[in-house]
Amino acid sequence: MSALLDLLGDTLGPGGIQTGADVEARRRGDGNGPHGVLPDCVLRPRTTEEVASVLATCDRLGQRVVVQGGLTGFAGGARPLAGEVVLSLERMRGVAPPDPASATILAEAGAPLEAVQQAAGSAGLLLGVDIGARGSCTIGGNVATNAGGIRVLRYGMFRDQVAGLEVVLADGSVLSSLSGLRKDNAGYDLKQLFIGSEGTLGVVTRARLRLHPKPAGEVLAFVAASGIAAVLDLLARLRAALGASLSAYEMIGGTLYQAVALEGALRMPLAAGAPLYLIVEVTGAEPARDRGRLEAVLGAAADEGRVGDAVLAESARDIADIWRLREALGRYTLKLAKVQGFDIAIGLDRIAAFMEKTGRAVAAVSPAARVLVFGHLGDGNLHYLVDDDDPAIAKAVYGCVAEAGGSIAAEHGVGLDKKPYLSYSRSAAEINAMRRLKAAFDPKGILNRGRIFDLSGDP
Ligand SMILES: Cc1cc2nc3c(=O)[nH]c(=O)nc-3n(C[C@H](O)[C@H](O)[C@H](O)COP(=O)(O)OP(=O)(O)OC[C@H]3O[C@@H](n4cnc5c(N)ncnc54)[C@H](O)[C@@H]3O)c2cc1C
């Protein structure tokens, strides 16, 4: 460690290295809790060249490194293990003005997502990804986790926003595709490998992100539904009627809705008691027409008994209140003492059978456990939470995910916490191919080692 500090002290300059009492307690973990060791040292470069020097030096010394962004992840990927130093991108927060010609924006990896959203918005443009952690999560973390969020239905995941990347490999070499060409088939599209690789293949230092025209308006409905079949039926009708302007389709389970309502802290749009609730967002070029179409679809579904009560937001305040409720769901579940959270994806054609079967499997392990569900239903992504920490529940849920051909990590990644379950979603051949990629980009295994999968020989 002292050799590392001697070598990097001059390179990183004042404030570039934190040790001892300067290392803050928050460094121990991410959104899943402070379960890691307090690192001996935090390296805080200001430029890509400094990141390259840090990694080249660590690689030469065989020093393991864990990369930290905003520490809002839900997979333990940024949580330090014994013997690791932290590489934090927090001093690289620059955001350039959007380029209107290419409709892109260049941001440094440590820039908060919200800063990029605001810069885009001030130029009449929109970044397609939005998540509840927008004020704290970073562009580097968003790329590394391939973040999703509420508007994937319309704009895709973070991968779809990335026009170009700058990445530093474990040996300090810099790969750059920041020119952001729309067409570039000159060999492999290397940037794709780093998106969603959770910092195991390289450190993201800058990203060029695609922007979209800002929609003319937002029409938002809050709907009570009789069950998952009705939810899927309504989704199909809305897609047919609204096409690409259907931008969010979020589901909330009745048990969770009732629990949040009982806290009494929020204005709830509808009375509790329905099996499921939906937030339906339509953002298009003609809000008045979109509203008419949405009302017509909801009216027809209600006439057939598919959906119950529904309200349309009438003001900016109504809209803000509904999204505030959506963001309160995760916060409510994080407060529960023994909760286990599963971030899963299931094909929409299998989701009804999956929910029924998984409910039975959980009840067989723990008859009293509450199942709290919410999520990005339009993408087949459920945040499935069980109010009991018995490890047999994780096996039961992931067993049902595997049987349904689903994913154990829809948008939060695998990190350290879901690593034991990777084989429920990926074959041995796939995991082996991932190991070979890791060996090619980081032969000494210094970078985020042990995240997603173990390297051969690791305990
Ligand atoms: C309230 C709340 C709501 C959320 N909602 C959503 C949601 O809707 N959708 C969603 O997808 N996620 C959501 N998340 C999870 C989280 O915000 C995302 O995973 C986010 O992308 C993590 O970014 P971060 O900067 O905090 O990364 P961190 O937590 O610091 O790190 C996450 C992973 O990325 C790696 N990493 C970080 N920066 C870099 C870099 N520059 N280069 C290489 N690797 C790096 C880390 O090593 C780690 O493996 C939510 C979290 C919270 C707290």
Side-chain angles (χ1 to χ4, degrees):
M1 181 66 68
S2 64
L4 181 77
L5 300 185
D6 287 347
L7 285 165
L8 290 177
D10 286 344
T11 311
L12 297 182
I17 301 181
Q18 292 174 335
T19 54
D22 288 341
V23 177
E24 303 145 283
R26 70 184 177 93
R27 297 285 178 197
R28 282 182 188 276
D30 62 3
N32 271 2
H35 306 308
V37 299
L38 192 64
D40 290 335
C41 160
V42 180
L43 305 170
R44 303 165 72 235
R46 288 160 300 189
T47 63
T48 302
E49 293 70 35
E50 289 183 10
V51 173
S53 294
V54 165
L55 289 179
T57 306
C58 289
D59 194 56
R60 208 164 55 245
L61 299 176
Q63 171 61 55
R64 294 187 188 176
V65 177
V66 60
V67 190
Q68 292 190 342
L71 296 173
T72 67
F74 279 140
R79 181 191 308 145
L81 297 173
E84 288 178 338
V85 297
V86 164
L87 169 55
S88 167
L89 281 295
E90 67 196 352
R91 294 208 295 174
M92 295 178 62
R93 303 164 68 90
V95 180
D99 171 31
S102 61
T104 62
I105 188 166
L106 185 62
E108 288 188 314
L113 173 63
E114 194 170 44
V116 178
Q117 291 173 331
Q118 284 168 353
S122 63
L125 295 163
L126 174 97
L127 182 70
V129 166
D130 188 24
I131 64 180
R134 63 185 77 77
S136 322
C137 67
T138 63
I139 294 300
N142 299 153
V143 172
T145 58
N146 188 22
I150 51 179
R151 301 221 168 80
V152 172
L153 197 59
R154 166 107 181 240
Y155 299 107
M157 296 196 51
F158 219 83
R159 180 183 305 282
D160 299 290
Q161 322 309 319
V162 175
L165 273 190
E166 181 183 76
V167 179
V168 183
L169 301 186
D171 67 1
S173 41
V174 179
L175 306 185
S176 178
S177 61
L178 289 177
S179 57
L181 299 174
R182 209 11 131 177
K183 292 188 157 183
D184 185 3
N185 282 346
Y188 301 157
D189 185 359
L190 291 173
K191 68 175 177 298
Q192 299 299 343
L193 288 173
F194 300 96
I195 305 169
S197 71
E198 301 184 48
T200 58
L201 298 181
V203 176
V204 177
T205 46
R206 288 194 289 170
R208 182 171 289 286
L209 302 170
R210 293 197 176 95
L211 301 175
H212 309 272
K214 221 195 244 177
E218 176 180 358
V219 185
L220 202 63
F222 196 85
V223 183
S226 57
I228 187 73
V231 165
L232 294 169
D233 175 73
L234 183 63
L235 176 61
R237 290 167 188 240
L238 288 167
R239 276 192 163 138
L242 293 154
S245 3
L246 179 64
S247 45
Y249 195 74
E250 298 285 302
M251 186 176 84
I252 309 169
T255 310
L256 179 56
Y257 187 78
Q258 184 156 35
V260 173
L262 280 174
E263 286 198 315
L266 295 171
R267 194 159 73 102
M268 305 303 276
L270 293 173
L276 294 170
Y277 295 86
L278 293 165
I279 299 172
V280 181
E281 184 196 64
V282 184
T283 48
E286 298 170 281
R289 231 171 117 183
D290 291 341
R291 191 181 175 95
R293 285 182 182 148
L294 177 59
E295 278 173 336
V297 174
L298 291 176
D303 288 347
E304 292 170 30
R306 292 292 196 164
V307 300
D309 290 343
V311 287
L312 260 74
E314 298 292 345
S315 63
R317 184 186 165 212
D318 286 352
I319 291 178
D321 280 351
I322 290 174
W323 286 125
R324 199 169 295 128
L325 162 63
R326 170 63 183 79
E327 291 184 6
L329 303 172
R331 275 202 306 279
Y332 173 84
T333 61
L334 285 174
K335 282 189 292 193
L336 300 172
K338 297 191 306 177
V339 75
Q340 295 188 65
F342 307 101
D343 162 43
I344 56 187
I346 306 289
L348 288 177
D349 55 331
R350 283 155 279 155
I351 211 160
F354 168 83
M355 284 180 69
E356 219 221 293
K357 190 164 185 193
T358 312
R360 275 190 274 117
V362 169
V365 178
S366 173
R370 282 187 307 165
V371 173
L372 305 168
V373 188
F374 66 106
H376 316 295
L377 195 276
D379 317 322
N381 179 187
L382 299 176
H383 298 314
Y384 194 97
L385 297 109
V386 184
D387 195 4
D388 185 329
D389 58 4
D390 185 337
I393 289 176
K395 287 203 166 142
V397 172
Y398 287 137
C400 293
V401 170
E403 223 174 278
S407 172
I408 60 132
E411 58 174 11
H412 296 159
V414 175
L416 291 169
D417 295 340
K418 293 176 198 152
K419 180 171 63 171
Y421 304 101
L422 185 62
S423 63
Y424 285 73
S425 279
R426 299 289 191 208
S427 67
E430 285 173 311
I431 297 171
N432 208 15
M434 292 186 209
R435 286 206 178 96
R436 280 164 32 207
L437 276 174
K438 172 75 177 164
F441 282 98
D442 177 16
K444 292 189 188 163
I446 63 151
L447 205 48
N448 276 15
R449 187 181 183 122
R451 278 74 180 180
I452 309 181
F453 48 81
D454 286 320
L455 300 185
S456 45
D458 278 355

